[in-house]
Amino acid sequence: MEKILGMGSFGESIGVISLNDNNQENNISDAPSPLSIIVLRNSVLFPLVLMPITVSRDRSIKLVREAYHGTKLVGVVAQKDPKIDDPDTEDIYMTGTLARILKIFEMPDGSVTVILQGIQRFCINEFVQKDPFFTAYVEMLTDSEPSSLDKDFDMMVGALKDSVTKMIKLGYLSPDTVFALKNIDNNKHLVNFIASNIDFENFADKQALLEIEDLKERTMRLIELLGREQQLMEIKRDIQQKVRSEMDQQQREYFLHQQIKTIQNELGDNVLEVEVERLKEKAASKKWSENVQEVFDKELKKLEKMNPIAGDYSHQINYLDILTDLPWGEYSEDNNDIIHAKTVLNEDHCGLDEVKERILEYLAVIKLKGDLKSPIICLHGPPGVGKTSLGKSIARALNRKFGRISLGGLHDEAEIRGHRRTYIGAMPGRIIQTVNRCKTSNPVIVLDEIDKVGSDFRGDPSAALLEVLDPEQNSTFRDNYLDMDYDLSKVMFITTANRIDSIHPALRDRMEMINISGYITEEKLEIAKKHLIPKSLEAHGIQPDGLQFDDDAIVKIIEGYTRESGVRSLDKKIAKIVRNKAKSLALNEETGNKVTVSEVLNILKTPIIQKDVIESNYVGVTTGLAWTEAGGEILFVEASLSGGKGGMTITGNLGDVMKESAKIALEYIKAHASDLNINEKLFEKRNLHIHVPEGAIPKDGPSAGITMITSIASIYTQRKVKKGIAMTGEITLRGKVLPVGGIKEKILAAKRSGVSTIILSADNKKNIDEIKQEYLEGLKFVYVEQMKEVLDFALEKQ
């Protein structure tokens, strides 16, 4: 008889011993009836298998001792739920194994270790008693074994051995089990031994094997269960290897980091501790709210737990640096001296009275009340008139820091609100960045070119600006990177735009719209003398008294070489003259220190701008006034007649609105032909051609209506248009003249071109009254309501 240690359990039970079949005592005639039943938890005893169990229940100890001194035969069954300490009849399985008690060992703790030998399966028919232990009438069950010639069964046993071999390689079975497998030559022994030694995931599977009578079927089921257990073991092994690998890597990194930390401590250079102390010192002087303090403390604790080599370490440092760099509750002291502010604004800019007046009103209210939400001002007008530089002047007048944000071509909403910290390379939006650069929470920030903000799949920046530019909301502006509220209510936002029709309506509604029109020649002269020339001399290394410009020379540059509402082109021309003088000085050439008209012509060559006013008046040619992004312009409308069938041709790259104005004008002339003494047959025998010169430039808008109708009336009546007249206004089929916009810019264009009389709608008189008198000098205004008044005044009598 070979003793083989294996696996089994009852309470803390371990160990299995198997006997070869030829040494097995199969005589069960002396089995008592009723049979004493011992209940195991988490274990199933199979026939022909030895199993040591530890008995600790009082009833089980009594049963074992009585049986050992008697027949030594007991019935062994398993309980369904191992958690039940005192099982009843319904808590145990009805199929078990008749066993012989081979040996009893009394343990020091009072428990008893028993070695049992499985003999034969049985089924409980009826329980006789429960106390002091279970006894029952049982029926012995016989296994159905295949014949020795059954090749299928032999193949199944071979497959079973292969499965067990794989389980052994996975470390699932002990080396003693391997030895036992090599020494068991009986297939029934082998099947029962393997079934007893495998610890299945589901305990009920082992009981189900015991209940199978057919040995071949039991073997097949055992192979299936072993396959499942093998797969589970492989998965567990892979997981354990992965976890072990990760643990090894973490331990390695931990030891390396500890060594680095020790070295840094020895050198007095612990990066993390230094950074934490630095951030704490910065935070100690901050005037932030309790909410911000809580966020800072929370993020600092995260940093303290991080390793300096970790990827997120730098991101956390950057966030805390920005948090502590921001000027929470820090404000510069405003200079509320209204006289000082007025002086500064006048020094830096000529004109722009409406803007200056608004700033002085703001200062006056602050001086009286002590506090006021900053206004949101939008300066709109043609390029080069000083919208952006005005922001710098306002900041200097108020003694505030100045910041500028260019919005031209901006498409990403995150540029305003910032990126969330989950993204790589995240940073705050431009608003928070600018406030951070200014180091105060009440700077003057210019949002340049707000009319050129775009939108695409990344969002609409205009929508984000709605919160920034709303005084009722920007006190709790939330940047995505900071992820907390920041007060922008004390920031003075000044936006600039060339066109207001492209600004989002809701955004436009939040701002005070202030129009900045172009400068007249006299204002440009003053700007050049006070600002442009001194700036250009300094930029080119010439002393302020080293070069002087005559007023006539400056006027010549303005009128002969620039055509603009602002002064950018004027600045470029002055810079060109100064560079020419600087070259002469560097070459030691003889040159005077005064720039005259002749030197302007010599350096800038032939004037590129010619006045567009026609010196002589012609039939069918009328001067109109137009508005462009660059300011006001004059345009000519030409009309001619040719033989034909009464058709009309319109050229000059005109838009649909201008073409419709031409059609309305012709229909009005046809309807009032008798009043104008026009032969109606001309409309049938002559083709009308209307042309607006400079065909490469697109033109559109309704303001050329009265200009077209005057030109058409002139060509049909052959009456010339009076000299020096320009006009602007929209017309209707009834001949009514409607008001138009851009009056100031058009007036400046008329003055530049030598126009003496301007015809416009009577409803535009209110616009003229708002313009400074110096802009109107030398001009005569004729206000009309009907087209008949225009024709009566503009056309010669003959």
Side-chain angles (χ1 to χ4, degrees), residues 399-615:
N399 192 32
R400 290 191 179 188
K401 297 288 186 178
F402 174 77
R404 175 181 170 273
I405 301 174
S406 178
L407 301 179
L410 197 69
H411 287 81
D412 192 352
E413 181 183 346
E415 293 286 345
I416 303 297
R417 290 190 181 276
H419 303 80
R420 299 193 182 279
R421 290 168 59 197
T422 52
Y423 295 107
I424 297 175
M427 62 180 64
R430 294 194 185 186
I431 302 294
I432 294 297
Q433 288 184 38
T434 304
V435 172
N436 193 19
R437 285 197 301 270
C438 293
K439 299 303 178 186
T440 65
S441 292
N442 63 336
V444 174
I445 296 181
V446 171
L447 302 176
D448 222 356
E449 310 292 353
I450 197 171
D451 57 325
K452 296 175 179 63
V453 173
S455 62
D456 59 13
F457 65 93
R458 291 167 290 187
D460 186 358
S462 296
L465 287 170
L466 293 177
E467 181 183 4
V468 176
L469 300 181
D470 190 341
E472 301 300 325
Q473 298 182 37
N474 61 13
S475 60
T476 56
F477 172 71
R478 181 170 286 264
D479 185 274
N480 289 332
Y481 183 81
L482 292 181
D483 198 23
M484 65 181 73
D485 295 340
Y486 193 89
D487 186 4
L488 298 178
S489 61
K490 299 296 189 296
V491 178
M492 177 179 283
F493 289 103
I494 298 175
T495 66
T496 68
N498 297 129
R499 300 180 58 179
I500 62 174
D501 57 338
S502 59
I503 302 176
H504 194 287
L507 193 58
R508 193 164 62 235
D509 183 61
R510 283 165 165 76
M511 301 183 290
E512 295 183 39
M513 311 300 294
I514 299 178
N515 178 253
I516 300 180
S517 55
Y519 300 110
I520 58 176
T521 301
E522 291 78 9
E523 289 177 332
K524 290 183 180 180
L525 177 62
E526 290 299 316
I527 293 171
K529 291 164 67 176
K530 289 183 179 180
H531 303 287
L532 302 183
I533 293 174
K535 182 186 76 172
S536 189
L537 292 176
E538 181 182 357
H540 294 88
I542 299 178
Q543 297 297 322
D545 56 352
L547 189 64
Q548 296 178 355
F549 282 72
D550 284 346
D551 287 358
D552 292 341
I554 299 174
V555 172
K556 185 62 179 178
I557 298 172
I558 294 170
E559 295 183 347
Y561 297 91
T562 67
R563 175 183 286 174
E564 59 179 345
S565 294
V567 292
R568 281 200 181 131
S569 295
L570 176 60
D571 187 27
K572 294 174 184 176
K573 298 301 180 184
I574 291 174
K576 184 174 182 179
I577 293 173
V578 173
R579 285 196 301 271
N580 185 274
K581 289 292 184 179
K583 183 189 72 172
S584 299
L585 290 173
L587 296 174
N588 296 320
E589 297 177 353
E590 290 291 333
T591 178
N593 66 342
K594 188 176 284 266
V595 177
T596 61
V597 173
S598 60
E599 285 194 309
V600 169
L601 294 172
N602 183 45
I603 296 172
L604 300 182
K605 308 305 179 183
T606 305
I608 58 175
I609 304 298
Q610 301 294 333
K611 289 188 176 181
D612 287 331
V613 173
I614 299 175
E615 298 299 333

